[in-house]
Amino acid sequence: MPAPAPRRRLPSRLPLAFLPLAASLLAAGWLSACLGTAAATIGSEIARLPAGRGTSASEPMAAAADAAEVPPPPREFRGVWIATVANIDWPSRPGLTAEQQKQELLALLDRAAELRLNAVIFQVRPMADALYESALEPWSEFLTGRMGQSPGYDPLAFAITAAHARGLELHAWFNPYRARHPSSRSPISDKHLIRRRPEWIKTYGTHQWMNPTHPEVAAHTLAVIRDVVRRYDIDGVHIDDYFYPYRERGPDGQLLLFPDEDTWQKYRQAGGTLGRDDWRRAAINAFVRDLYREVKALKPWVKVGISPFGIWRPNHPPGITGLDAFAELYADARLWFQEGWCDYLAPQLYWPIAQPRQSFPKLLAWWAEQNTQRRHLWPGLYTSRVRERPSENGPKGWPAQEIAEQIALIRQQRGASGAIHFSIKALRDNPDRLADHLHRLYAEAALVPAIDWSAPPLPLGLTQLPPPRCQLLRQQQPPVLRIDPPRDTRFLVLRHRTARGWTTRLLPPPSEPQQPLHLPLEGEAAPAVAVLDRFGRLSPFVLPE
């Protein structure tokens, strides 16, 4: 083990810019444990490992001579969807034991961490059901094979703890209106809305759907989401592209109309003046607006993300053709983006770069132009289209290089700062050596971009987060690093410098508030330490005393 870094002393005269921070830290008693520096920020590679594990670098570690030497970090959202509807990603089939389900989920999270992703978007409400303990809706049949039957544990609580242990954010993904999926085989639980509130439910083709214009439907879905936000330590709330259902045809080949004549007539009789399409869009717009306001009222650090169909309207931008989500799904995603009713928009750009009528680069640039509120733009990528053999490529199959080039275009696009892969099964199965491309693209791990617009002002006139208190307990063998994180820390950030560059670990803070973390160094030199708060703001780095 290299000799520990020499104990640092405060200079006799502090720079003027440092005095407000130093005064507040002295008042809090923190400078007796560690040295803060206002100039330091986090560095460029984040090795996402479970708590207590060492970094993967094989070279001897050497602590920074000065915390200010820690280089700045990249900021890029690297998300992946974990779909539970129809057991697309997890669990692999219904009816597995609780332990089998847990092991499968841990393997997926390990894969995400290994590829240096930083967020998973976990589907918790596929069809008015729940992959968590709920008093409002029944257990999902995709867990046990029978709707309403407990799997014997709480999958969402388990997933949150396991994701955070790996330095991954977890966003809870809700389908706001779907009541029953065509893959459903289980008897319908008496607790399900189809039984409890049949007046809300419409049969549309192969689906059963909650009527978005029924005045109580949005209220119920918002109550479900509020319940999860209150009770679980999630990092985000996420809804996808299923507002009104995608259009289906009947046995005669004719397009089916959504059967909302009852609520339409009530609206008209009450004096409503909107046309039918505008009336439907107004219901969806009100839901999206209220979702954002209510989540932020409960926990302003919880991100709200929406993943709409990738084309807002045909000919936007010129030359683009395809489904009109504005007219067919009644989803005015451009309005939501421009009103700031989300923290991130993830339009599903599920087409290849060289497909002119649904041009990936043109659509990416167009969505960036709509971002007048300067929210985050993190497009969805159809990574599951990657095929193992070139012969399988074509309209429904791509080489892994396509995804690599799409990520490169996103990085070049002003106003875009990340992407989300659909779905984690593709990352697990590694077709066409996909992981090789992602390891190269994600060679340096990244922090999730901050949501500064939701963050409250820092206290006491500070311009940066207070750093953690940290102390190296050299009398113990192996030496132990004691870290006392400030309140509301999301992750502890530990940085080492090696012969190959900087490596970083993200660790969750202790589960008990105001408790220190004791981390055996196990042959490592003491790292530089910072904290990341729930809004994504980073403290200065410090070296342990």
Side-chain angles (χ1 to χ4, degrees):
M1 173 176 171
R7 184 166 175 166
R8 301 185 64 231
R9 298 180 182 273
L10 283 172
S12 58
R13 183 169 297 175
L14 291 172
L16 290 176
F18 187 70
L19 286 177
L21 176 62
S24 64
L25 297 180
L26 283 167
W30 286 8
L31 282 178
S32 62
C34 56
L35 173 66
T37 174
T41 52
I42 187 177
S44 62
E45 179 177 350
I46 299 176
R48 309 209 174 274
L49 299 171
R53 287 173 54 186
T55 64
S56 59
S58 58
E59 299 92 338
M61 298 294 181
D66 191 306
E69 295 178 6
V70 180
R75 292 270 188 168
E76 181 179 51
F77 192 80
R78 299 172 184 172
V80 62
W81 280 287
I82 300 179
T84 59
V85 65
N87 299 102
I88 290 174
D89 290 318
W90 180 88
S92 59
R93 57 183 173 84
L96 298 177
T97 67
E99 187 58 29
Q100 288 171 325
Q101 291 183 14
K102 290 178 181 180
Q103 291 306 312
E104 284 191 352
L105 187 54
L106 291 177
L108 295 178
L109 297 175
D110 282 341
R111 183 61 163 167
E114 175 198 348
L115 292 172
R116 297 190 183 92
L117 304 187
N118 51 30
V120 294
I121 298 171
F122 183 56
Q123 191 174 29
V124 299
R125 192 204 195 211
M127 51 180 204
D129 52 0
L131 279 89
Y132 57 93
E133 186 72 51
S134 173
L136 300 175
E137 295 183 326
W139 284 105
S140 174
E141 73 176 73
F142 302 121
L143 293 168
T144 64
R146 187 173 185 84
M147 185 186 293
Q149 181 176 324
S150 170
Y153 73 110
D154 188 322
L156 177 56
F158 179 81
I160 291 169
T161 299
H164 289 167
R166 289 155 176 77
L168 298 163
E169 288 193 352
L170 188 137
H171 297 210
W173 167 15
F174 300 83
N175 290 91
Y177 298 108
R178 186 165 59 209
R180 190 167 171 86
H181 189 268
S183 67
S184 179
R185 298 292 179 266
S186 169
I188 299 172
S189 166
D190 289 341
K191 192 178 175 182
H192 195 273
L193 295 178
I194 291 175
R195 298 280 188 241
R196 291 195 297 115
R197 301 303 301 263
E199 69 276 17
W200 295 0
I201 309 302
K202 302 295 182 181
T203 297
Y204 181 79
T206 60
H207 288 79
Q208 287 180 283
W209 214 259
M210 287 175 269
N211 181 1
T213 55
H214 194 290
E216 297 176 17
V217 162
H220 174 77
T221 294
L222 290 171
V224 167
I225 295 173
R226 285 196 306 269
D227 176 55
V228 171
V229 172
R230 284 193 188 102
R231 294 193 295 118
Y232 292 89
D233 190 20
I234 59 174
D235 300 284
V237 164
H238 184 94
I239 56 176
D240 56 17
D241 53 320
Y242 291 100
F243 298 99
Y244 276 78
Y246 285 85
R247 290 184 176 176
E248 297 188 37
R249 296 182 183 272
D252 58 359
Q254 298 299 307
L255 284 172
L256 297 173
L257 301 177
F258 190 81
D260 55 5
E261 186 68 17
D262 54 344
T263 49
W264 169 243
Q265 290 302 328
K266 287 182 180 179
Y267 170 75
R268 298 289 291 174
Q269 292 165 10
T273 59
L274 292 176
R276 197 159 184 168
D277 286 358
D278 288 336
W279 166 70
R280 288 170 172 166
R281 268 188 296 274
I284 301 297
N285 291 341
F287 168 78
V288 172
R289 178 200 64 207
D290 293 347
L291 170 66
Y292 190 73
R293 291 176 178 175
E294 294 192 21
V295 170
K296 293 300 176 180
L298 286 171
K299 293 181 179 178
W301 59 86
V302 171
K303 302 174 185 67
V304 176
I306 309 174
S307 181
F309 185 74
I311 298 171
W312 176 64
R313 304 210 72 179
N315 212 38
H316 291 78
I320 293 296
T321 64
L323 182 143
D324 189 338
F326 179 88
E328 296 187 30
L329 305 181
Y330 306 101
D332 192 354
R334 183 176 73 168
L335 174 71
W336 311 335
F337 210 17
Q338 292 180 343
E339 290 291 333
W341 293 343
C342 59
D343 296 303
Y344 67 91
L345 197 76
Q348 296 173 16
L349 303 188
Y350 285 179
W351 304 280
I353 293 168
Q355 189 164 311
R357 293 182 178 180
Q358 295 84 35
S359 167
F360 181 95
K362 286 184 179 180
L363 285 165
L364 174 65
W366 184 85
W367 280 111
E369 290 170 0
Q370 313 315 308
N371 190 11
T372 55
Q373 294 291 329
R374 297 188 178 181
R375 298 307 202 231
H376 293 308
L377 176 61
W378 301 332
L381 308 182
Y382 206 166
T383 309
S384 289
R385 278 276 173 93
V386 175
R387 295 293 183 260
E388 181 62 38
R389 292 179 293 276
S391 61
E392 296 175 336
N393 295 331
K396 294 189 177 181
W398 303 334
Q401 183 63 27
E402 174 72 33
I403 297 298
E405 291 175 2
Q406 290 182 1
I407 292 172
L409 285 173
I410 292 169
R411 288 175 171 176
Q412 295 166 16
Q413 176 62 57
R414 183 180 179 87
S417 57
I420 308 175
H421 297 274
F422 185 84
S423 64
I424 201 166
K425 183 185 292 185
L427 306 188
R428 180 199 67 194
D429 294 345
N430 193 30
D432 194 30
R433 302 175 67 87
L434 173 65
D436 290 349
H437 291 273
L438 295 183
H439 278 303
R440 175 177 55 81
L441 289 161
Y442 300 154
E444 294 181 305
L447 292 179
V448 169
I451 51 168
D452 298 323
W453 50 84
S454 288
L458 293 170
L460 303 174
L462 294 179
T463 58
Q464 290 180 288
L465 287 180
R469 300 169 58 186
C470 49
Q471 184 178 14
L472 183 60
L473 306 178
R474 297 181 178 87
Q475 71 275 16
Q476 300 189 30
Q477 291 300 322
V480 171
L481 180 63
R482 173 184 166 128
I483 306 172
D484 291 86
R487 185 184 297 273
D488 294 328
T489 292
R490 168 50 81 211
F491 290 116
L492 299 165
V493 186
L494 280 63
R495 290 282 279 162
H496 281 101
R497 184 166 58 187
T498 75
R500 291 186 300 182
W502 289 90
T503 77
T504 309
R505 296 171 66 183
L506 293 191
L507 301 178
S511 56
E512 294 296 325
Q514 307 303 308
Q515 292 299 308
L517 175 71
H518 291 86
L519 185 67
L521 293 182
E522 299 177 352
E524 301 172 2
V529 184
V531 294
L532 198 67
D533 79 356
R534 294 173 182 271
F535 298 93
R537 298 179 296 189
L538 188 75
S539 81
F541 268 91
V542 294
L543 295 175
E545 184 178 79

